[in-house]
Amino acid sequence: MAAEREPPPLGDGKPTDFEELEDGEDLFTSTVSTLESSPSSPEPAGLAEDISTNSNGPKPAEVVLDDDREDLFAEATEEVSLDSPEREPILSSEPSPAVTPVTPTTLIAPRIESKSLSAPVIFDRSREEIEEEANGDVFDIEIGVSDPEKVGDGMNAYMAYRVTTKTSLSMFSKSEFSVKRRFSDFLGLHSKLASKYLHVGYIVPPAPEKSIVGMTKVKVGKEDSSSTEFVEKRRAALERYLQRTVKHPTLLQDPDLRQFLESSELPRAVNTQALSGAGILRMVNKAADAVNKMTIKMNESDAWFEEKQQQFENLDQQLRKLHASVEALVCHRKELSANTAAFAKSAAMLGNSEDHTALSRALSQLAEVEEKIDQLHQEQAFADFYMFSELLSDYIRLIAAVKGVFDHRMKCWQKWEDAQITLLKKRETEAKMMVANKPDKIQQAKNEIREWEAKVQQGERDFEQISKTIRKEVGRFEKERVKDFKTVIIKYLESLVQTQQQLIKYWEAFLPEAKAIA
Amino acid sequence: MEEHQEAGKEGKPSSTAVDLHGDSSLQVEISDAVSERDKVKFTVQTKSCLPHFAQTEFSVVRQHEEFIWLHDAYVENEEYAGLIIPPAPPRPDFEASREKLQKLGEGDSSITREEFAKMKQELEAEYLAIFKKTVAMHEVFLQRLAAHPTLRRDHNFFVFLEYGQDLSVRGKNRKELLGGFLRNIVKSADEALITGMSGLKEVDDFFEHERTFLLEYHTRIRDACLRADRVMHSHKCLADDYIPISAALSSLGTQEVNQLKTSFLKLAELFERLRKLEGRMASDEDLKLSDMLRYYMRDSQAAKDLLYRRLRALADYENANKALDKARTRNREVRTAESHQQLCCQRFERLSDSAKQELMDFKSRRVSSFRKNLIELAELELKHAKLQGPPGTPCQGAMETRSWGNKGGTLAASLAIFQCQQALHGKVQDPELGTQEQSSRRATTPINPGTDPTQG
């Protein structure tokens, strides 16, 4: 899979590098050779036909020599704040503006900073995809969500996020702009899009979930690490949500989305509140839907749908299981980190009270090593979480949306079926009237028949349409899914490698100290 | 110098170089151990050319209680008051492990057979590790006794080593345990009293320094030991976490029809290897760090006990002095008071001398043990770099060759991860166009994938 890495900063010639990217060179050649400490001529990251993601994070450091790995995170932090390295220029595009301003959120401690940036900025602008779209549309839009700011005070406080868009698409008035949005705005956007598109078969990406506990802590003003973590988690989730939404070619055209991205003032979406009238209505509808689903028996004429539904069902189960396990992993790694830090402290104290000087020094060194390792563990935990765990939960929700779309198709079928039944009844009525010879009633019956015939036809058309749309959507969804997972898996692997590398370094540094004990 | 047991072959832990001060006239080892329902039977084998013994090589079977009996015999013996008595080995405790195995057996049905097998394997390994450790602890206790010039000549020790039959020593019943507990309280109260006693001044700076040092050291090492235990526990939890993840990934992989299939399966494999590595790192830390800290916690307690005894002797000496003065003024029973005072003085001086020697030994023992274990810890963590590292790796030159039973090491993990990445990279394709392996274009990996890091 591919080259999430850009060509190493050779200073210039991105276009020239781009040529070489034709070659499906193994991405990790560069990584591998650096690990050998051999100054690899930085081989351009291979762009297999697939994605090229614009990932922030440790990437640039890969082509750097081993020794520089120390500066890995320093570099990464720097890199990102300068806006991540250039994306590959896309063939047909106009010179695109620079980069996603995923600025490190200022609330969070520097250590977390570099990690938040590793949160997958999954963004496709591959030639492949464009060719596939086959509409010559330049898919050229980048979205960033950043700078969470607390607005207001007390229980009426809320977090405002800056949504920045960089694009060269013509439908937007400017090429770069940003607005301030709050969480309920995002929810409002989603509900609008869902109401317009879900029932015709488009898979609308679901918005991040509400969290009363989390928000309350923030409102109350608790400035501790858990609330900053919560804000960061939410920010990353909102960013991924928007990115997925704009990736969808149909949704991108939607005026509501454009308004969301562009206009400085947005009408407050009160219908998203859980306890509002609309909220209660939503809950009632959901219940009704659930009941209906159980009663609809659909004659599936198309095996494809059944197969796909089954597949998604299985996938859902598996993902849930995996997600639970990964969450446990994250939790334990955090614990490990905390315990290691505690041990480091007591090792330091032990070193202090030891009266043999060399041993004392060695123990203090051990304490330092353990402290560094604790940091490593913490970073790895972040990686675990932001890459792996969040991806899984995103997909669990996405699959729920997919299932919803299938359900809509069923409802559509039901409507068609009902129309057909009604038509039949109307015909029967007409026949009866014919026999009973009541001319005015016959006329009425004929009218009704015409009406229902039209409805039946409409129903059939709708059903065909939704089936077609779903097929396309599912195809697209699967492709996206494969890309997403691959990207994240590779990123995650890299983070694991990083951790291991660092561990090696630390222990190597410690070994001579231990040997020096006289 | 005591050594910690290697995780050697089953049932026969071999101790690495026990330095008997160059004297091999008495070699003791635990050649075998059997774990029965609720007790462990150790086979203590002695090789000796000392005239006292009837044969040159013989073995007996002993249980934990008999070790404790031996230890207590030393402690209560006035002759050894000036020596650091090696700390008694801890009771073999398989409770926790047994419980976990049981829970697994009853366990819930939601885990797959594979997962179950793996978890069972883990628990069995844990059980085995605890077993080996307890054997090591008991062996070290005996070996220290055998190495000490004075302690090795104790009559009880000979009986322990030689007497073929059961020593009929039962475990302490509740009364005795309570008695022991009360004795400890009395001891610490006494100590507090003595130090507060007016007129009692420490004549020797060396001991003053040692006392303050030991008090602080003991507390801190106890702390460090506790926390090291927690770290190890976390590592183990982490390793265990990989099991369900790996299982979920493989089932995901088998269900997928597209190219994610390989990715998931490879990732599952990777996690499996990572699990083994994490498990090894956990047990390495356990052996080299936690155990060492624990041992020295006990040893420093024994040293503290020695200091207490000396202090007690000093107090007795002072008291005898005072009594003598009183007797002289009253001019009654002067003779008895004099002889008593003489005795106390002698005892005190004897204790002081041997205590000094013992404490210095303690220090050098401690330093060398720490050194050894810390070096081994670092080397274990790096081990694989030496065996697997590509040429030019900085760490390669720095390491001695050591071959431990388990090939842990962080670079093994890197290797595993790389192989996974390689595999993923080979299948880079758009699903619509079908999977085409780009094997022709795959760059050759400089790391030799032939060596299996999980061997051993």
Side-chain angles (χ1 to χ4, degrees), chain A residues 412-451:
Chain A
C412 189
W413 181 87
Q414 186 70 3
K415 238 172 81 177
W416 180 29
E417 193 64 14
D418 287 345
Q420 284 182 318
I421 291 175
T422 321
L423 179 63
L424 213 59
K425 281 206 202 116
K426 297 294 177 195
R427 289 224 167 102
E428 279 171 14
T429 323
E430 191 207 18
K432 264 194 263 171
M433 294 299 132
M434 294 282 241
V435 166
N437 208 4
K438 295 191 183 151
D440 51 337
K441 288 269 172 67
I442 291 180
Q443 189 51 43
Q444 184 190 8
K446 282 211 193 299
N447 286 341
E448 282 179 351
I449 288 181
R450 251 199 308 277
E451 186 191 328

Side-chain angles (χ1 to χ4, degrees), chain B residues 54-113:
Chain B
Q55 305 160 288
T56 43
E57 247 186 74
F58 48 90
S59 34
V60 293
V61 175
R62 291 283 172 248
Q63 290 184 31
H64 174 73
E65 288 79 15
E66 292 165 314
F67 285 78
I68 300 300
W69 166 82
L70 182 62
H71 176 258
D72 287 348
Y74 274 108
V75 167
E76 288 158 11
N77 192 332
E78 170 58 35
E79 263 186 59
Y80 306 129
L83 306 174
I84 296 183
I85 313 288
R91 204 172 70 83
D93 183 15
F94 297 103
E95 267 319 300
S97 195
R98 212 172 275 150
E99 252 177 50
K100 277 200 246 174
L101 262 173
Q102 204 172 24
K103 231 188 330 178
L104 183 66
E106 298 160 5
D108 60 320
S109 49
S110 67
I111 50 178
T112 65
R113 191 171 308 168

